[in-house]
Every structure is written in structure tokens, then in C-alpha cells.
Amino acid sequence: FAVAGTLTVAFVIWGITSPSSVASVAQTAYDWATMNVGWFFNVVAIIILVALLILAFSSYGKIPLGKDDEKAEFSTFSWVAMLFAAGIGIGVLFFGPSEPLTYFISPPPLTNDPESTEALHGAMAQTYFHWGFHAWAMYALVGGAIAYAAYRRGRSLLLSSIFQTLFGKRQSEGFAGKLVDIFAIVATLFGTAAALGIAAMQIGTGVSIVSGAGPMTNNMLVVIICVLTVGFIISAVSGVSKGIRYLSSINIILTVGIVALVLFLGPTLFLLNLLPSALMEYLGSLFDMMGRSLSWGAETQEFQSVWTVYYWAWWISWSPFVGTFIARISRGRSIRQFILGTIFIPSTLLFVAYGIMGGTSIWMYREGAAGFSDSMAAPEVFFTLIDNLPFVEWLPFVAI
């Protein structure tokens, strides 16, 4: 904690005193990583998904994450709600409407013509690729390993406990184990900071639009982050079985409610046709999307850097945080139930939610709805979409 805290505070001080320097170093590191090890991120994403599916359907899948006769700690609804909230959160409202629209207007290189029917389905498939099975497999790998080590082997709920067999007990509780936990803390902080920043921008944009206060300012963002921080601390201190479970349940109910309103007040028939088509397009083009890399040319490499590799890195940075959390809520479930549930249940919910939000934003853009253009900022898309629906002038307040 002391080392991770010192490193984090040092980085924050550097960011406050010299933001341009941080931006320069971060951009250089980002460019180098996406150019030189983008292939490695792709390979890792593929191997993790395949390996976990093999494990789930093998004889090892019957092993419980706990004692042989232990019952699951949380109901299936609470378990799914907390999975959904931990892994996605603000994504449905921020990326759900904006990311498919981006791919529709500017499709990935060497794929479809912009704003074509093929681009519509390709946009949904590309979004599903980034948020679907591969992302949840990364969470399931870390979460399953921690849960197995803690509940089956009697170790602590720390990332370092996974490596006890590799390091030996002395090293896993000593220098090597502490190094792993330091990396886990730092990765968690940076990964969640990215999500918190996006959440603050989305909420800030909503506040600006709803209140008519004008463009979003840094002061407004700081206030929003403080409010979110207070909410986080209260829920964390109250524990998983109280605050976090209640917040997760409220979150999934409100999210499903918002998505349902968009479905029924938006282009319902179009969306009902799009959802199965988008899912089949995702499954049909999965191997093609998994195979894209620098070998496809500079334009594809740039797209991979900005989107696919960025997402794989983001999910990996989130995996200690989400993995530890889903391990904490999954005691008593079998390895098979844990892996298949973690990969497929939230992905399915996400496919429906992103299909409805993304399909609606693309439909409105094609129909020339008020406020839609090819130069919209991502946080604006959701509120512009809501503004074009009837009877829901109150919905932005609920969303915020």
C-alpha cells in the first residue's frame, strides 16, 4: 500500500504541476505499445477466451469455488446485477449510442463503405467485439483464479495469492507477491480513473444540457468527481452485501428501464430486426476481426491502436479490480457456472443494450434527426438521442 500510494501520489503531483509533460510521455508510451505489442494484446485476448471455454467444458468445470457442499452466497439476480454493474457501468450510456455511430460514419479500414447497410451491421459487430466475450473472459480469468485460490485453497483475496504455486509460499507473501499486488493496485487506479473521467464527462455534458449552464468546465468536473467519490466511499464502506449490492441492483433496473424506453419510443420495428442481425454479424465476422493487425496496413494499425488494442489494454487494467470483485461475489458457484455466467450473461445483456442504443443513434442520424451530425462529441450523442424521443423530457435527470 505504501509503495503503490507513493507512486500514485507522485504521478498526481506530476500531472498537476506539468500536465503537458505527462501528456507527452503518455502519448509516446501509448504509441510505442500499440505499434510494437498490439499483436501481443490480440493474442492474449484470443488465448484467454479459448482457454477458459475449454476449461469450462472440461471435467474441471465441476469443481466448486468453495467447499464441496457450499451454496452460492448471492442469488442469481444479485450476482448478475453486480457483474453487469462492475464490468460496464457508464459504458451503456456513453459508448452505447456513440461507438456504433462512429463506426457507421467511419468504418474500420478495408471493410465497408461509410453509411451503407453493410456499415450499419459492421458497426454493431465491431462494438460487440470490443465489449463482448473477450472482455468478459479477461475478467473471468482473474476472478476465477482468485476465487479458486481463496475459496478452494484457503488463501487471501489478493492477486498475489494466485501465484503461490509459481513463486512458493515465502515469495508469494514476500517481495514477489508484494510486487504483483503493487502492479494490481496501480493498474486498478489507472483503469478506473479512465472510467471515472468518462463518467464525469458524460454527467457533465448532461448537466450542461439540462441546466443550460453552457460548456462544461473543469470546476464542474471536479464537483462531479467529488460527488461520485462520496457515493463510492459510502457504498464501499457499507460492504458488498449492502451498499454495493443495492447500488448494482438499482443500476441494472434503471439501465434496463432506459434501454426499454428507447426501444419502445424509438424505431421499435427497426431495432427488433437489427438485434438478431447484429448478433449474427458479430458471430460471423468474429474470426475476421480477431485477425486484424499491422499486417493489414498502416490504416488498420491506426484503427487497432485507437480502438481494439486500447480496449484490450483497458480491460486488462480493469481485470484486477473487476476480477477481485466478481471473485468476492461468486463463492459457492462451480468453475463452469462461473466462467460461462461471467462471459455470456453480461455479454448478452450488453448486446441487447448496445444494439438498441447504437441502432437508435444510427437510425436517427440516417433520418436527419435534430442535433445529429458527423462531428458530434461522444458524450453528446446519448442526450441528443433522448432529445429526439417523445414524452421523456425527464429522462436526462434519471440518466445523470
mmCIF file of all heavy atoms in Angstrom, residues 5-15:
data_model
loop_
_atom_site.group_PDB
_atom_site.id
_atom_site.type_symbol
_atom_site.label_atom_id
_atom_site.label_comp_id
_atom_site.label_asym_id
_atom_site.label_seq_id
_atom_site.Cartn_x
_atom_site.Cartn_y
_atom_site.Cartn_z
ATOM 1 N N GLY A 5 0.819 3.727 -3.015
ATOM 2 C CA GLY A 5 0.335 5.058 -2.680
ATOM 3 C C GLY A 5 1.332 6.143 -3.038
ATOM 4 O O GLY A 5 0.973 7.186 -3.586
ATOM 5 N N THR A 6 2.607 5.884 -2.723
ATOM 6 C CA THR A 6 3.664 6.850 -3.039
ATOM 7 C C THR A 6 3.769 7.074 -4.548
ATOM 8 O O THR A 6 3.853 8.214 -5.023
ATOM 9 C CB THR A 6 5.018 6.363 -2.490
ATOM 10 O OG1 THR A 6 4.908 6.192 -1.077
ATOM 11 C CG2 THR A 6 6.128 7.364 -2.795
ATOM 12 N N LEU A 7 3.751 5.982 -5.325
ATOM 13 C CA LEU A 7 3.828 6.088 -6.786
ATOM 14 C C LEU A 7 2.636 6.871 -7.341
ATOM 15 O O LEU A 7 2.790 7.712 -8.228
ATOM 16 C CB LEU A 7 3.870 4.684 -7.418
ATOM 17 C CG LEU A 7 5.145 3.870 -7.191
ATOM 18 C CD1 LEU A 7 4.958 2.437 -7.693
ATOM 19 C CD2 LEU A 7 6.335 4.519 -7.903
ATOM 20 N N THR A 8 1.469 6.603 -6.795
ATOM 21 C CA THR A 8 0.257 7.262 -7.281
ATOM 22 C C THR A 8 0.265 8.757 -6.952
ATOM 23 O O THR A 8 -0.028 9.593 -7.813
ATOM 24 C CB THR A 8 -0.989 6.603 -6.663
ATOM 25 O OG1 THR A 8 -0.963 5.208 -6.943
ATOM 26 C CG2 THR A 8 -2.262 7.207 -7.233
ATOM 27 N N VAL A 9 0.607 9.081 -5.709
ATOM 28 C CA VAL A 9 0.667 10.493 -5.301
ATOM 29 C C VAL A 9 1.714 11.238 -6.129
ATOM 30 O O VAL A 9 1.479 12.372 -6.576
ATOM 31 C CB VAL A 9 0.970 10.612 -3.792
ATOM 32 C CG1 VAL A 9 1.277 12.060 -3.415
ATOM 33 C CG2 VAL A 9 -0.203 10.095 -2.969
ATOM 34 N N ALA A 10 2.842 10.582 -6.369
ATOM 35 C CA ALA A 10 3.901 11.203 -7.187
ATOM 36 C C ALA A 10 3.379 11.486 -8.594
ATOM 37 O O ALA A 10 3.634 12.560 -9.167
ATOM 38 C CB ALA A 10 5.118 10.295 -7.242
ATOM 39 N N PHE A 11 2.639 10.539 -9.158
ATOM 40 C CA PHE A 11 2.085 10.740 -10.503
ATOM 41 C C PHE A 11 1.075 11.881 -10.518
ATOM 42 O O PHE A 11 1.065 12.700 -11.448
ATOM 43 C CB PHE A 11 1.419 9.448 -10.997
ATOM 44 C CG PHE A 11 0.854 9.577 -12.384
ATOM 45 C CD1 PHE A 11 1.647 9.387 -13.495
ATOM 46 C CD2 PHE A 11 -0.481 9.920 -12.575
ATOM 47 C CE1 PHE A 11 1.131 9.518 -14.776
ATOM 48 C CE2 PHE A 11 -1.011 10.061 -13.847
ATOM 49 C CZ PHE A 11 -0.199 9.853 -14.954
ATOM 50 N N VAL A 12 0.229 11.948 -9.490
ATOM 51 C CA VAL A 12 -0.773 13.017 -9.418
ATOM 52 C C VAL A 12 -0.087 14.386 -9.317
ATOM 53 O O VAL A 12 -0.478 15.345 -9.992
ATOM 54 C CB VAL A 12 -1.725 12.791 -8.219
ATOM 55 C CG1 VAL A 12 -2.609 14.014 -7.989
ATOM 56 C CG2 VAL A 12 -2.587 11.553 -8.454
ATOM 57 N N ILE A 13 0.948 14.467 -8.478
ATOM 58 C CA ILE A 13 1.686 15.734 -8.351
ATOM 59 C C ILE A 13 2.302 16.127 -9.693
ATOM 60 O O ILE A 13 2.247 17.292 -10.109
ATOM 61 C CB ILE A 13 2.776 15.612 -7.260
ATOM 62 C CG1 ILE A 13 2.117 15.476 -5.877
ATOM 63 C CG2 ILE A 13 3.713 16.813 -7.299
ATOM 64 C CD1 ILE A 13 3.098 15.132 -4.770
ATOM 65 N N TRP A 14 2.892 15.146 -10.387
ATOM 66 C CA TRP A 14 3.465 15.385 -11.716
ATOM 67 C C TRP A 14 2.373 15.885 -12.679
ATOM 68 O O TRP A 14 2.573 16.835 -13.422
ATOM 69 C CB TRP A 14 4.092 14.084 -12.215
ATOM 70 C CG TRP A 14 4.714 14.157 -13.584
ATOM 71 C CD1 TRP A 14 5.225 15.256 -14.211
ATOM 72 C CD2 TRP A 14 4.896 13.063 -14.499
ATOM 73 N NE1 TRP A 14 5.708 14.934 -15.449
ATOM 74 C CE2 TRP A 14 5.521 13.597 -15.661
ATOM 75 C CE3 TRP A 14 4.591 11.715 -14.450
ATOM 76 C CZ2 TRP A 14 5.850 12.793 -16.761
ATOM 77 C CZ3 TRP A 14 4.921 10.917 -15.543
ATOM 78 C CH2 TRP A 14 5.539 11.446 -16.683
ATOM 79 N N GLY A 15 1.192 15.253 -12.623
ATOM 80 C CA GLY A 15 0.101 15.642 -13.501
ATOM 81 C C GLY A 15 -0.399 17.050 -13.246
ATOM 82 O O GLY A 15 -0.755 17.773 -14.178
#
